[in-house]
Amino acid sequence: MDLNRIEQGRFLITGGAGFIGSNLVAFLMQNNAKKVRVLDNLSTGFFHNIAEYVGKPNFEFIEGDIRNLDDCQSACKDIDYVSHQAALGSVPRSIKDPITTNDVNISGFLNMLIAVRDSNVKRLVYAASSSTYGDSASLPKVEDIIGMPLSPYAVTKYVNELYAHVFALNYGIETIGLRYFNVYGPKQNPNGAYAAVIPLFISKIIKGEPPIINGDGSIGRDFTFVSNAVQANLLSLFVEDEKAINQIYNVACAQRTTLNELWDTLKEITGKNIEPIYGPQRPGDVLQSLADISKASSLLGYIPKDPVEVGLVKTYDWYKMNTPT
């Protein structure tokens, strides 16, 4: 990765106060980006994730909403590259409230596409999702083989890909979509009804409490440490090979871990022998997920740096340092 490109670039990170977005902001700031602008409405992100950069000359925070086209257009002014991380995540939340999920993930995404089209932005890289594979039973997941979506959230993320394709076709903008596979790591929120499984598990084990595992624990995921997602974003923003642009890529580790294996690994890391409680399986959940990352490797040069075991140690250490006692 050419760090000189970062020093010369002006970046907009939508959802930059959220989990993946704030990790991307941190990387850009640590590598002396010319400009880092964050657009976030702080509905699921947290200002404390980016507070250390406030006041620095190359950092700007805009509290705004991607559902507002004016906010999107203002945020894209004088920007070279956009990493669009703003979205309303969680399959269960989308099943409970499909309208809001649609408004944020589809209408908000369309607003960003229009703002990019009407500005001088060179490229938009956006957060797609492995949920797009839906009920496809084939493993590992290859980008051009998908099934029917299993949740409103999955529908919205697939529509993002369709809109990006149409805007590239009709308006000539450059886009790249990254299908994240269960990203985890520091700054991910462990609280609330829609917390992701790894921060939830780590929060429980720090407290000495048993987690609730949905189903029998055999559900398998390609858990991906956040540094790999950051790497994929930067590679996508800067790739020059025309064959690599206006594409969709899996971002994962090509390593499947079941929920039972995940909990057992955390027990080994922490030395705590706590048995989980098993509950009902959640509606809309994909049962097995494993990515083929050969496309990202060949066209972007993506190589995951942190396998699950390493990422879990780093994540646990961060939460242990940042969890109030």
Side-chain angles (χ1 to χ4, degrees):
M1 189 184 302
D2 185 356
L3 297 181
N4 289 330
R5 300 278 294 275
I6 294 178
E7 293 180 1
Q8 298 164 7
R10 299 169 297 179
F11 302 85
L12 168 64
I13 314 299
T14 70
F19 162 46
I20 297 176
S22 64
N23 277 276
L24 186 53
V25 167
F27 187 89
L28 291 170
M29 291 297 292
Q30 289 160 11
N31 287 280
N32 304 310
K34 182 176 181 180
K35 176 78 174 181
V36 178
R37 179 182 292 154
V38 167
L39 174 65
D40 203 302
N41 68 356
L42 302 178
S43 62
T44 57
F46 299 95
F47 186 73
H48 62 74
N49 282 338
I50 54 172
E52 65 185 287
Y53 308 116
V54 174
K56 295 186 181 296
N58 61 336
F59 180 80
E60 180 185 1
F61 173 65
I62 298 175
E63 187 171 350
D65 198 311
I66 59 171
R67 289 172 289 185
N68 183 319
L69 179 58
D70 289 342
D71 288 350
C72 297
Q73 290 174 325
S74 297
C76 284
K77 186 178 180 181
D78 300 322
I79 288 295
D80 300 313
Y81 306 100
V82 175
S83 177
H84 179 62
Q85 305 299 317
L88 204 56
S90 170
V91 165
R93 174 164 35 208
S94 76
I95 292 172
K96 183 177 181 180
D97 183 8
I99 290 176
T100 305
T101 297
N102 188 88
D103 286 346
V104 174
N105 293 1
I106 294 182
S107 297
F109 185 73
L110 180 57
N111 284 339
M112 282 304 305
L113 285 173
I114 291 170
V116 166
R117 181 198 66 183
D118 296 344
S119 69
N120 292 316
V121 168
K122 297 175 182 177
R123 185 173 301 161
L124 168 75
V125 174
Y126 63 94
S129 172
S130 61
S131 66
T132 297
Y133 289 105
D135 64 1
S136 171
S138 64
L139 289 175
K141 304 298 184 185
V142 180
E143 285 85 349
D144 58 356
I145 302 175
I146 63 173
M148 292 296 290
L150 296 174
S151 68
Y153 173 73
V155 169
T156 67
K157 302 308 281 186
Y158 182 41
V159 170
N160 286 180
E161 297 182 8
L162 298 175
Y163 259 130
H165 170 76
V166 166
F167 267 66
L169 193 65
N170 288 281
Y171 304 115
I173 70 171
E174 293 185 0
T175 71
I176 290 179
L178 302 177
R179 285 184 187 159
Y180 295 145
F181 280 69
N182 297 86
V183 182
Y184 70 97
K187 299 186 179 182
Q188 192 171 22
N189 184 16
N191 302 311
Y194 304 118
V197 65
I198 287 181
L200 198 59
F201 275 14
I202 289 177
S203 176
K204 289 290 187 182
I205 208 161
I206 287 174
K207 295 175 183 176
E209 300 173 356
I212 296 175
I213 292 180
N214 299 307
D216 62 4
S218 64
I219 285 178
R221 293 288 180 267
D222 198 332
F223 293 107
T224 310
F225 190 59
V226 68
S227 64
N228 298 313
V230 169
Q231 177 202 164
N233 271 273
L234 270 296
L235 291 170
S236 298
L237 288 169
F238 296 142
V239 67
E240 295 181 351
D241 183 353
E242 289 189 5
K243 296 192 299 293
I245 302 166
N246 298 322
Q247 295 281 357
I248 305 295
Y249 297 97
N250 291 336
V251 176
C253 288
Q255 176 184 1
R256 182 169 43 164
T257 305
T258 68
L259 297 181
N260 284 331
E261 289 168 342
L262 177 66
W263 183 250
D264 287 343
T265 301
L266 284 172
K267 287 198 299 183
E268 290 177 15
I269 291 170
T270 62
K272 295 184 179 181
N273 189 22
I274 303 170
E275 294 305 315
I277 297 170
Y278 291 91
Q281 188 171 303
R282 298 187 310 185
D285 266 347
V286 174
L287 296 182
Q288 299 297 330
S289 191
L290 174 67
D292 182 321
I293 58 173
S294 57
K295 182 179 178 182
S297 296
S298 62
L299 291 178
L300 297 178
Y302 169 74
I303 302 172
K305 307 293 186 186
D306 291 299
V308 172
E309 296 80 4
V310 174
L312 283 176
V313 171
K314 292 181 178 181
T315 304
Y316 172 73
D317 288 344
W318 185 88
Y319 279 104
K320 194 174 179 182
M321 290 288 292
N322 290 274
T323 301
T325 54

